[in-house]
């Protein structure tokens, strides 16, 4: 149902990445040559500041793309200082000289298994930037990340499943603070979407494992995202489509900027034009609003505050029940960070999450569930560069959570469940440069679980070897913990223990002329998973997951074309939940393959994505393989108007995601999804400035 829910705040990200340099009303061609003073430099990232317009230099150090007078050009290459040029009407061919520098420990970021988008805290890794622009993502961050290796295609809920782990094992953080409910709520067996606009963020670091001690309560992966900095110009934009309407803008001030955005989504009109398989009593509707206040009172201090709210409702007949949902969700995030003398950086933040759900006919006719979930997250940390080879980070955090479930039914009697509990923790990272080419990070985290009154120690280690500026070999090992979800805690004995997982990862990252290659092998071992025994959940479950991932991002076939290939092999086994024996989880497919092609031509841009996943074992039956061919077309009608269209599953394949208790297959509400929208910038110079954050 939800793959076509691409409101303006979600779709704009596609438009930015899909638009080739020739789209943006460029007036002339900029070309140039990059050297280090002795020889040409290949694979230098040359781009326009504040945009994704640019190119990589070829083997002779040459580059060529379109730009406008007044743009700021940046040439960036690992191992060299950035070169910055202001383009005037005399600039047509540039000679750029990059100066090498000696990296200090503060300039190297040792990371585990992951992919980076944009620029985040010291990370400049521009490989895989364009994965969100394929026709299948439709501007949704979660759908975009599912094109990466290591992820599983689970169409019946659309959430992130990573390397044999369940969707609950992936946690989301914004500006370092936890998000309790990152997904929208939908009808049963329907794909969810991320709650947040992709343009809210300047950087997205999707970690598939081996993450820092700063993060926990995630057995498989984490998604840390950094919001954009203070805006420097006023913006105002509107959009309209068959399913949603959006208005938003930004007002700048001397020391900050205020952004606001409002969206109303209603599938009623779409379902009249394109009926689906479901019997809707009330179409899916969502009213949402966002606000961001960003300030930089001094050169060394930055504050960001984000507030988001959404209300969702729907009702439909499904499996003989009249499922009816009403949901309210609110999220507040406020952080303050800065630097002090002596290369000391500090951070403090608070996040508040609240969710309220009222659902009728959830599992049986005439039942009703009221679900309340809340969290207060506090965090503080400091980082000190002790020498040219040593950096130390120390921090602490507190998570105060509330859960309340009240379930009533004519046939089942469950007691009301209301519980507060605390999850305090302390962590430290020591990053050390062993040599000019070898870096290591040793981490230790200690957690306290107030439910079972137990302290846990979680050591982690990463070693990164850089034989050249374009090659990285890394190995990591670590231990991670996580509490079960609300419904499991409700049906557990008092003192439910956390689950644990050990990660072991070996990887290779290689940057060729115009191609990025990443290969990783991994093994995960699970302990104390929730297991249903004798009418309640225990912590006696266990499991393992192993496999390898391959990722190739290529820009060498044509100047206007980008191709991406990702493949994952996963072998996982678990005995958990209601499994009576160890078996493959029903969400896990052994093979996942994704091919994406994007091509820009004058004012048009085309995207084509092929997705494949092998069969899954659900309720003792193997599903057919999954296959979907998706396409999108973007047209820059004028400097301020963009028209976007997409069509999923061109071949009309009826994909089966699983089976119900009665043996009926679980499918999407329709085989294909079509989207057409127009986006208008009312106060900006470029169409993609419709983005309101």
């Amino acid at each position: 149902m939800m793959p076509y829910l691409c409101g303006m705040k979600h779709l704009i990200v596609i438009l930015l990445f899909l638009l080739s340099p020739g789209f943006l009303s460029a007036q002339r061609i900029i070309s140039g040559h990059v050297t280090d003073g002795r020889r040409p430099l290949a694979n230098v990232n040359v781009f326009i500041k504040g945009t994704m317009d640019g190119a990589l230099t070829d083997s002779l150090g040459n580059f060529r793309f379109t730009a406008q007078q007044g743009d700021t050009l940046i040439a960036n290459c690992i191992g060299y200082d950035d070169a910055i040029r202001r383009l005037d009407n005399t600039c047509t061919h540039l000679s750029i000289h990059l100066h090498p520098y000696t990296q200090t420990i503060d300039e190297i970021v040792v990371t585990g298994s992951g992919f980076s988008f944009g620029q985040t805290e010291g990370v400049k890794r521009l490989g895989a930037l364009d994965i969100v622009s394929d026709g299948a993502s439709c501007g949704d961050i979660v759908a975009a990340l599912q094109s990466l290796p290591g992820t599983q295609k689970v169409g019946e809920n659309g959430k992130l499943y990573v390397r044999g782990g369940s969707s609950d094992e992936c946690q989301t953080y914004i500006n370092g603070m936890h998000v309790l409910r990152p997904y929208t709520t939908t009808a049963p067996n329907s794909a969810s979407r991320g709650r947040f606009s992709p343009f809210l963020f300047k950087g997205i670091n999707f970690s598939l494992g081996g993450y820092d001690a700063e993060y926990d309560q995630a057995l498989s992966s984490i998604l840390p995202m950094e919001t954009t900095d203070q805006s420097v110009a006023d913006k105002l934009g509107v959009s309209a489509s068959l399913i949603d309407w959006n208005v938003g803008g930004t007002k700048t001030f001397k020391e900050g900027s205020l952004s606001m955005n409002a969206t109303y989504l209603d599938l009623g009109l779409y379902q009249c034009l394109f009926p689906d398989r479901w019997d809707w009593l009330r179409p899916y509707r969502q009213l949402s609003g966002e606000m961001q206040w960003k300030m930089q009172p001094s050169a060394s201090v930055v504050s960001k505050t984000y507030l988001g709210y959404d209300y969702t409702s729907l009702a439909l007949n499904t499996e003989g029940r009249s499922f009816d949902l009403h949901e309210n969700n609110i999220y507040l995030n406020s952080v303050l960070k800065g630097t002090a003398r002596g290369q000391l950086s500090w951070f403090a933040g608070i996040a508040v999450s609240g969710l309220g759900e009222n659902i009728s006919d959830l599992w049986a006719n005439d039942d009703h569930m009221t679900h309340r979930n809340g969290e207060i997250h506090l965090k503080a940390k400091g980082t000190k560069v002790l020498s040219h080879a040593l950096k130390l980070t120390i921090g602490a955090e507190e998570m105060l959570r509330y859960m309340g479930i009240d379930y009533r039914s004519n046939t089942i009697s469950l007691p009301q469940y209301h519980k507060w509990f605390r999850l305090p923790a302390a962590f430290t990272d020591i990053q050390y440069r062993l040599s000019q080419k070898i870096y290591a990070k040793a981490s230790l985290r200690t957690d306290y679980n107030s439910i079972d009154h137990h302290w846990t120690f979680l050591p982690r280690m990463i070693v990164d070897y850089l034989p050249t500026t374009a090659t990285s070999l890394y190995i990591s090992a670590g231990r991670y913990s996580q509490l079960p979800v609300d419904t499991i805690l409700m049906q557990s004995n008092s003192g439910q223990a956390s689950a644990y997982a050990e990660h072991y990862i070996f990887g290779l990252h290689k940057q060729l002329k115009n191609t990025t290659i990443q290969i990783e092998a991994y093994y995960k071992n699970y302990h104390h998973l929730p297991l249903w025994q004798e009418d309640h959940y225990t912590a006696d479950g266990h499991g393992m997951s192993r496999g390898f991932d391959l990722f190739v991002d290529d820009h060498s076939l044509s100047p206007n074309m980008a191709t991406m290939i990702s493949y994952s092999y996963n072998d996982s086994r678990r005995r958990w939940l209601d499994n009576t024996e160890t078996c493959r989880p029903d969400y896990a497919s052994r093979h996942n393959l994704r091919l994406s092609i994007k091509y820009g031509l004058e004012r048009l841009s085309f995207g084509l994505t092929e997705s494949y996943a092998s069969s899954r074992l659900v309720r003792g039956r193997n599903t057919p393989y999954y296959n979907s061919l998706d396409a999108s077309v973007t047209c820059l009608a004028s400097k301020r108007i963009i028209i976007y269209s997409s069509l999923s599953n061109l071949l009309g394949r009826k994909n089966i995601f699983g089976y119900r208790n009665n043996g009926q297959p679980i499918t999407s509400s329709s085989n294909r999804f079509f989207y057409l929208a127009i986006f208008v910038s009312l106060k900006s110079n470029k169409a993609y400035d419709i983005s309101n954050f």
Side-chain angles (χ1 to χ4, degrees):
M1 168 185 132
M2 297 302 293
Y4 53 78
L5 300 184
C6 311
M8 170 188 166
K9 61 179 183 180
H10 301 293
L11 265 176
I12 290 300
V13 69
I14 291 183
L15 309 177
L16 174 59
F17 286 106
L18 277 176
L19 292 177
S20 65
F23 277 30
L24 303 180
S25 63
Q27 300 300 314
R28 56 204 173 93
I29 299 293
I30 297 296
S31 62
H33 184 65
V34 182
T35 72
D36 64 357
R38 296 179 294 110
R39 57 185 176 85
L41 293 178
N43 203 41
V44 177
N45 184 41
V46 185
F47 61 98
I48 299 301
K49 182 179 180 181
T51 77
M52 295 300 160
D53 302 342
L56 295 175
T57 58
D58 59 21
S59 59
L60 300 179
N62 297 318
F63 65 89
R64 179 185 174 90
F65 59 91
T66 54
Q68 299 185 70
Q69 180 179 341
D71 284 343
T72 299
L73 180 144
I74 299 176
N76 170 265
C77 184
I78 296 177
Y80 296 87
D81 290 326
D82 289 353
I84 302 175
R85 298 287 181 87
R86 181 79 171 179
L87 300 180
D88 55 32
N89 56 10
T90 64
C91 295
T92 56
H93 187 83
L94 302 174
S95 294
I96 300 176
H97 179 192
L98 295 186
H99 299 276
Y101 64 84
T102 301
Q103 294 172 325
T104 67
I105 191 65
D106 198 38
E107 296 172 308
I108 291 292
V109 178
V110 180
T111 62
S113 171
F115 293 85
S116 301
F117 310 83
Q119 180 175 342
T120 62
E121 302 280 331
V123 178
K124 293 182 180 179
R125 187 178 298 172
L126 300 181
L129 273 172
D130 58 349
I131 68 159
V132 298
S133 62
D134 62 80
S137 70
C138 214
D140 178 37
I141 292 176
V142 175
L145 294 174
Q146 289 172 356
S147 67
L148 289 174
T151 61
Q152 306 270 284
K153 182 64 179 180
V154 185
E156 65 268 33
N157 64 29
K159 299 179 180 180
L160 283 174
Y161 290 76
V162 177
R163 290 180 172 174
S166 70
S167 62
D168 299 319
E169 296 174 16
C170 179
Q171 297 296 310
T172 301
Y173 288 79
I174 294 180
N175 295 335
M177 307 305 295
H178 186 240
V179 179
L180 185 62
R181 290 285 180 147
Y183 300 105
T184 61
T185 300
T186 62
N189 300 319
S190 302
S192 299
R193 291 177 59 85
R195 291 188 186 274
F196 304 101
S197 164
F199 251 97
L200 177 65
F201 308 103
K202 69 174 183 180
I204 302 172
N205 282 333
F206 182 39
S207 178
L208 306 176
Y211 30 93
D212 293 346
E214 177 181 350
Y215 303 108
D216 203 50
Q217 293 302 311
L219 291 182
S220 288
S221 59
I222 58 167
L223 179 59
M225 301 184 286
E226 179 77 12
T227 59
T228 56
D229 295 325
Q230 174 185 340
S231 298
V232 296
D234 294 348
K235 301 176 184 179
L236 180 63
V238 296
S239 72
S241 73
L242 296 177
I243 64 173
D244 67 349
W245 300 264
N246 179 283
V247 59
T250 294
K251 179 64 178 177
T252 59
F253 304 95
K254 182 178 180 180
E255 294 182 347
S257 60
L258 176 65
S259 301
M260 302 187 71
N261 192 70
T263 301
Y264 176 68
L265 186 152
D266 191 323
L267 294 186
L269 176 60
Y270 187 94
Q271 289 159 3
C272 289
L273 297 175
F274 305 100
D276 57 30
R277 300 186 180 99
W278 291 353
D279 181 13
W280 290 94
L281 301 175
R282 184 176 66 253
Y284 184 97
R285 292 169 180 158
Q286 185 180 72
L287 178 64
S288 60
E290 297 171 288
M291 182 191 73
Q292 260 206 114
W293 175 251
K294 293 169 283 189
M295 294 185 63
Q296 189 166 356
S298 69
S300 59
V301 177
V302 175
S303 72
K304 298 179 181 180
T305 299
Y306 169 83
L307 175 64
Y309 167 80
D310 56 79
Y311 168 76
T312 303
S313 72
L314 63 94
L316 76 162
N317 287 320
T318 176
E319 300 184 31
R321 309 188 314 275
S322 299
F323 179 88
D324 189 295
L325 175 140
H326 297 267
E327 179 191 87
N328 290 275
N329 182 80
I330 190 169
Y331 178 72
L332 171 67
N333 179 307
S334 185
V335 300
L336 188 66
K337 58 183 179 180
T339 58
R341 294 180 179 180
Q343 292 183 300
L344 171 67
S345 60
W346 52 270
F347 171 93
I350 179 173
V352 179
S353 300
L355 175 79
E357 292 178 315
N358 287 283
I359 307 176
S360 299
D361 286 11
L362 175 61
W363 293 307
N365 284 315
D366 299 322
D367 72 355
H368 183 84
M369 185 180 78
T370 301
H371 180 207
R372 301 288 182 265
N373 205 188
E375 178 184 80
I376 300 175
H377 182 205
L378 304 170
K379 180 190 287 187
K381 66 175 182 176
T383 300
K384 172 73 173 178
V385 177
L386 301 177
S387 71
H388 71 284
L390 184 63
K391 181 166 65 175
L392 174 66
T393 298
I394 298 177
E397 69 177 357
E398 169 76 277
M399 288 185 180
L400 179 63
R401 288 187 182 175
Y402 167 79
M403 63 182 67
I405 298 177
D406 181 9
Y407 179 79
R408 302 183 184 278
S409 167
N410 294 332
T411 58
I412 302 175
S413 178
L414 294 177
Q416 294 187 22
Y417 183 82
H418 299 275
K419 193 173 188 64
W420 287 90
F421 58 93
R422 298 174 53 232
L423 298 169
F427 55 88
T428 182
D429 288 328
I430 299 177
Q431 188 169 322
Y432 186 69
R433 187 178 71 184
L434 301 174
S435 70
Q436 290 293 333
K437 296 183 177 181
I438 302 178
Y439 296 80
K441 179 187 287 186
S443 306
L444 179 63
R445 180 184 177 95
T446 177
D447 285 352
Y448 177 75
N449 179 353
S450 68
I451 295 179
D452 66 355
H453 307 288
H454 183 70
W455 284 95
T456 304
F457 293 92
L458 306 167
R460 301 166 190 179
M461 170 70 77
I462 303 173
V463 178
D464 201 345
Y465 171 55
L466 307 172
T468 69
T469 57
T471 305
S472 173
L473 291 167
Y474 49 92
I475 186 170
S476 69
R479 193 172 190 233
Y480 307 85
S481 70
Q482 184 176 359
L483 273 177
V485 297
D486 296 6
T487 52
I488 291 178
L489 287 175
M490 174 184 175
Q491 301 177 70
S492 304
N493 287 335
S494 59
Q496 174 70 34
S498 297
Y500 299 95
E502 287 97 28
H503 294 191
Y504 305 94
I505 302 168
F506 174 77
L508 165 67
H509 182 91
K510 181 71 175 180
Q511 184 68 57
L512 302 176
K513 178 182 176 181
N514 291 311
T515 306
T516 299
I517 300 175
Q518 185 156 316
I519 305 173
E520 289 187 350
Y522 61 89
Y523 177 82
K524 296 195 292 186
N525 196 21
Y526 291 91
H527 313 277
H528 302 302
L529 294 175
L531 182 65
W532 184 256
Q533 292 179 314
E534 299 179 356
D535 298 327
H536 65 273
Y537 282 104
T538 68
D540 297 331
H542 57 85
M544 58 77 64
S545 181
R546 60 189 176 187
F548 67 90
D549 303 325
L550 170 66
F551 176 78
V552 179
D553 184 28
D554 182 80
H555 298 260
S556 64
L557 299 179
S558 170
N560 296 326
M561 186 169 71
T563 60
M564 187 195 72
I565 301 174
S566 65
Y567 168 75
S568 297
Y569 170 81
N570 175 259
D571 177 25
S572 54
R573 299 284 187 275
R574 287 189 176 200
R575 187 178 180 221
W576 73 317
L577 302 182
D578 58 353
N579 297 135
T580 57
E581 59 184 19
T582 303
C583 60
R584 178 156 48 113
D586 60 8
Y587 53 76
S589 51
R590 185 154 294 178
H591 304 279
N592 284 266
L593 176 66
R594 178 107 159 195
L595 170 64
S596 177
I597 300 174
K598 288 168 285 292
Y599 187 80
L601 180 65
E602 296 297 331
R603 291 179 174 269
L604 295 175
S605 182
F606 305 91
L608 197 64
T609 301
E610 166 66 23
S611 301
Y612 166 86
S614 59
S615 66
R616 295 156 49 189
L617 183 63
V618 181
R619 302 187 186 278
R621 299 174 60 184
N622 284 311
T623 67
Y625 67 87
Y626 172 90
N627 184 65
S628 181
L629 180 64
D630 310 312
S632 64
V633 179
T634 304
C635 175
L636 184 65
S638 72
K639 290 175 59 177
R640 297 187 179 187
I641 300 176
I642 295 175
I643 300 173
Y644 173 84
S645 64
S646 66
L647 179 63
S648 67
N649 197 12
L650 291 174
L651 303 180
R653 177 181 173 82
K654 186 177 180 180
N655 288 302
I656 296 176
F657 305 122
Y659 300 96
R660 298 180 174 88
N661 293 328
N662 60 9
Q664 293 297 313
I666 296 173
T667 64
S668 298
S669 59
S670 62
N671 293 336
R672 296 185 180 94
F673 299 100
F674 174 70
Y675 186 82
L676 177 65
I678 183 171
F679 307 90
V680 181
S681 176
L682 301 177
K683 192 174 184 179
S684 65
N685 295 322
K686 295 182 179 180
Y688 62 71
D689 278 340
I690 298 171
S691 60
N692 301 308
F693 293 100

